[in-house]
Amino acid sequence: NAIGVRISNLSDITVPLWVTGDPAITQDIFVCIYRENQGNNTKNTYKITATGDGPGFLLKSGTNTIAYTVTWNDGGDTNPSGGTTATMTNNIVLENRKNARTQNITPINSSDCNAGANPTARLRIGITATVMDAARDGTFIGTLTLLLIPA
């Protein structure tokens, strides 16, 4: 039997306008991870993979690029220091994540943490000031794809 998993509360990230000398950019999205437990209330683990518009994690404007970093914390919004923070590598599985909410049935679709449940994880996008200082003017876009796997 396949085990259902779900991530909700994802949203687009808009990087603010940049002026040379501004500090590094950090953008957070707090998400909810749900995992079908099939009767085992302690099985709240999962794996996650992030894949960017590579090679690696890049924002693009024509041939110009801006590299960014991705980190994952499985402590959630209410307890980010209680989870484990890990740097993600493009298209490499991040193992042993914890604190998914568990349900006895396959998780239903939700885009908003079931209308307000506390998030269980934090996705962080970072761009260094050095990278931004070197970037050309323009509108840059990128897609980050997350693959959630029960574990």
Side-chain angles (χ1 to χ4, degrees), residues 120-138:
T120 62
R122 179 191 70 216
L123 172 70
R124 174 170 284 174
I125 304 299
I127 308 173
T128 67
T130 302
V131 167
M132 288 304 291
D133 281 344
R136 302 228 178 209
D137 289 346

Side-chain angles (χ1 to χ4, degrees), residues 69-88:
T69 60
V70 179
T71 58
W72 187 264
N73 175 285
D74 60 7
D77 186 21
T78 58
N79 189 22
S81 61
T84 301
T85 299
T87 299
M88 300 189 80

